[in-house]
């Protein structure tokens, strides 16, 4: 996280005696990244966070992948894999490489306590509402929220509405943070950033839960493990630091526009080792008198592009099966862009003054190493998508 927060009870200095009402010491836990050399948080537990009474294996299913060979674009309908379950064990794998795993889940029940010991996770809420309970406190989240969960933060998802919560999930093998060009050397968001600290929602107060012999599911490089703790890990009376979960709604992203079409990095929201995440939101069209307001043909020479459509594609794209919840997957080496009818119709509408706003909402994940297909993509792709590029 780019700025400091303090919540609950903390002593006046780090690593000094901090005593409970009964006279015993609170137990410090330093969650630090890059070997104590980068962002961290210091948490104060009532009980020892190391008190493990049992260890068992968690068998994580559906991790096998298939190369995208022969190389071709894909159209994936995530709503065809909405089996239900919880946000941890019910995930369906869409795509993965050495840097990121992209999954989808329709969570209709609370998840177990969970943490990812390999890297940060990005959750995007397509629809529904949930309470995200964490060792730092709770977050109330809803449609179009991004939730950034730091490495090894124990948490769980609890759906709260009448409908399940639909989540697009990116599991990183490193940190997920705002792009470096958006923040100063000291970590403050700069004036040209499309969002700032005021847009980020962190926990408001500590979350204390009593319990004994509590299971926590841990995802790690060798697979999955279930730790059973003597006491519930949600026993933190206070914490401070720069590392904690937060939510950011895509509608708070302020798009940057220009006289001519702006490239995807204009909409970048986060960066991570080996991939970036972009937030496409409604915005004013370009204003050059001869502007072409749809993208030019482009070849992803060094990245695979996953575009998750929050709303169904409008205009000429509406005829290609791109509904809410679909993913267009354009791999490195495949040249793509507007279809002929989309290009001509957009120019005609712009010249006639019929278009003022581009009403698009989508989350794009661009990776810099090839992605392989997960079982959920193979089970839900549109095999006719390639044909839509003929005569484009």
């Amino acid at each position: 996280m780019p700025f400091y927060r303090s919540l609950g009870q903390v002593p006046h200095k780090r690593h000094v005696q901090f005593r409970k009402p009964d006279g015993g010491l609170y137990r410090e836990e330093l969650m630090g990244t890059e070997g104590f050399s980068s962002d961290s948080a210091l948490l104060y537990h009532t009980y020892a966070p190391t008190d493990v009474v049992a260890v068992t294996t968690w068998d994580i299913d559906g991790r096998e992948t298939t190369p995208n060979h022969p190389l071709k674009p894909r159209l994936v309908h995530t709503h065809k894999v909405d089996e239900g379950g919880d946000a941890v064990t019910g995930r369906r794998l869409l795509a993965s490489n050495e840097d990121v795993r992209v999954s989808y889940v329709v969570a209709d029940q609370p998840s177990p306590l969970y943490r990812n010991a390999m890297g940060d996770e990005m959750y995007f809420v397509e629809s529904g509402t949930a309470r995200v309970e964490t060792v730092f406190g709770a977050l109330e989240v809803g449609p179009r929220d991004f939730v950034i969960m730091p490495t090894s933060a124990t948490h769980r998802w609890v759906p709260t509405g009448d409908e399940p919560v639909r989540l697009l999930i990116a599991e990183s093998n490193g940190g997920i943070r705002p792009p470096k060009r958006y923040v100063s050397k000291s970590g403050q968001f700069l004036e040209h950033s499309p969002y700032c600290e005021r847009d980020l929602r962190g926990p408001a107060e500590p979350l204390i839960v009593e319990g004994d012999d509590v299971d926590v599911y841990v995802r790690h490089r060798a697979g999955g493990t279930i730790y059973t703790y003597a006491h519930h890990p949600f026993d933190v009376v206070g914490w401070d630091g720069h590392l904690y979960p937060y939510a950011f709604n895509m509608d708070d992203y302020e798009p940057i526009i220009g006289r001519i079409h702006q490239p995807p990095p204009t909409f970048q929201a986060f960066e991570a080792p080996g991939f970036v995440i972009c937030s496409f939101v409604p915005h004013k069209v370009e204003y050059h008198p001869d502007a072409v307001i749809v993208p030019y043909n482009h070849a992803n020479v060094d990245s695979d592009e996953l575009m998750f459509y929050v709303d169904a594609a409008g205009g000429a794209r509406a005829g290609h099966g791109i509904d809410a919840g679909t993913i267009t997957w354009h791999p490195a080496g495949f040249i793509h862009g507007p279809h002929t009818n989309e290009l001509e119709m957009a120019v005609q509408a712009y010249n006639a003054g019929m278009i003022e706003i581009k009403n698009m909402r989508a989350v794009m994940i661009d990776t810099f190493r090839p992605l392989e297909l997960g079982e959920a993509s193979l089970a839900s792709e549109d095999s006719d998508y390639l044909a839509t590029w003929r005569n484009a």
Side-chain angles (χ1 to χ4, degrees):
M1 274 300 299
F3 66 99
Y4 171 86
R5 294 194 69 187
S6 179
L7 210 65
Q9 306 171 54
V10 297
H12 71 288
K13 286 187 71 68
R14 295 181 292 183
H15 318 314
V16 299
Q17 296 179 36
F18 182 34
R19 296 194 176 275
K20 298 181 283 188
D22 64 6
L25 286 170
Y26 285 109
R27 308 298 182 90
E28 284 184 317
E29 177 194 0
L30 179 67
M31 288 182 59
T33 58
E34 298 182 17
F36 303 98
S37 300
S38 189
D39 292 348
S40 66
L42 190 57
L43 300 90
Y44 293 89
H45 291 264
T46 300
Y47 303 103
T50 54
D51 197 354
V52 177
V53 298
V55 179
T56 54
T57 298
W58 170 27
D59 293 323
I60 303 177
D61 297 326
R63 307 303 287 174
E64 298 79 15
T65 59
T66 301
N68 187 6
H69 181 72
L71 190 71
K72 65 177 185 177
R74 312 272 177 168
L75 179 64
V76 175
H77 296 275
T78 62
H79 289 187
K80 291 184 178 180
V81 293
D82 55 356
E83 294 182 345
D86 67 74
V88 174
T89 66
R91 299 179 185 186
R92 302 286 299 275
L93 183 65
L94 295 165
S96 72
N97 63 16
E98 297 92 334
D99 303 310
V100 64
R101 288 153 300 282
V102 182
S103 303
Y104 186 81
V105 66
V106 182
D108 56 7
Q109 55 192 270
S111 75
L113 292 172
Y114 163 73
R115 66 173 177 262
N116 188 329
M118 296 186 294
D120 293 0
E121 293 192 345
M122 183 282 295
Y123 297 89
F124 177 76
V125 182
E126 179 191 354
S127 62
T129 60
R131 176 178 169 89
V132 187
E133 299 177 348
T134 86
V135 69
F136 295 89
L139 294 168
E140 302 294 337
V141 301
R144 299 190 290 279
D145 272 339
F146 292 99
V147 178
I148 304 299
M149 189 63 60
T151 306
S152 291
T154 301
H155 65 284
R156 74 169 187 150
W157 281 76
V158 182
T160 55
D162 295 331
E163 59 178 295
V165 57
R166 294 178 175 271
L167 299 171
L168 179 73
I169 305 168
E171 304 164 20
S172 174
N173 277 342
I176 300 174
R177 53 160 291 153
K180 292 182 178 65
R181 67 181 184 276
Y182 292 171
V183 296
S184 70
K185 292 180 180 179
S186 60
Q188 182 179 7
F189 279 96
L190 297 170
E191 282 296 300
H192 67 266
S193 172
Y195 62 98
C196 72
E197 292 87 350
R198 299 184 188 184
D199 300 316
L200 308 184
R201 311 191 318 268
E205 59 185 3
L207 175 62
I208 306 295
V209 179
E210 300 290 339
D212 301 322
D213 296 330
V214 178
D215 290 340
V216 177
Y217 287 60
V218 180
R219 190 181 302 265
H220 53 87
R221 300 193 187 282
T225 295
I226 301 173
Y227 289 110
T228 303
Y229 287 90
H231 302 282
H232 202 293
F234 294 171
D235 66 341
V236 174
V237 298
W239 59 268
D240 74 338
H242 289 244
L243 190 71
Y244 51 87
Y246 65 94
F248 164 61
N249 194 276
M250 76 174 341
D251 289 340
D252 288 326
Y253 188 96
E254 302 301 332
I256 299 169
I257 63 170
R259 291 208 328 146
I260 57 175
H261 181 78
Q262 299 299 296
T266 305
F267 294 88
Q268 185 181 348
F270 305 103
E271 65 182 14
F275 69 99
V276 300
I277 299 170
C278 296
S279 174
F280 290 93
V281 295
H283 59 280
K284 284 276 191 179
V285 299
E286 295 77 15
Y287 52 92
H288 187 284
D290 293 323
V292 178
I293 63 171
V294 292
Y296 32 77
N297 294 312
H298 51 287
N300 292 9
V301 296
D302 59 4
S303 62
D304 276 21
E305 174 194 290
L306 296 186
M307 182 80 81
F308 177 86
Y309 284 80
V310 182
D311 303 320
R317 294 292 280 169
H320 301 292
I322 304 176
D323 303 317
T326 57
I327 291 175
T328 56
W329 179 339
H330 299 138
F334 177 77
I335 302 172
H336 66 285
H339 291 67
T340 298
N341 59 341
E342 180 185 9
L343 180 66
E344 297 294 348
M345 289 172 60
V347 169
Q348 292 173 16
Y350 176 76
N351 289 340
M354 298 169 57
I355 299 178
E356 294 186 0
I357 301 290
K358 292 183 178 180
N359 287 310
M360 177 185 185
R361 285 190 180 88
V363 176
M364 186 171 76
I365 300 175
D366 265 12
T367 68
F368 301 113
R369 285 196 265 196
L371 287 164
E372 295 196 345
L373 289 87
E375 53 84 20
S377 289
L378 293 171
S380 62
E381 76 163 315
D382 183 343
S383 59
D384 294 329
Y385 183 56
L386 180 62
T388 67
W389 291 97
R390 293 173 190 156
N391 300 317

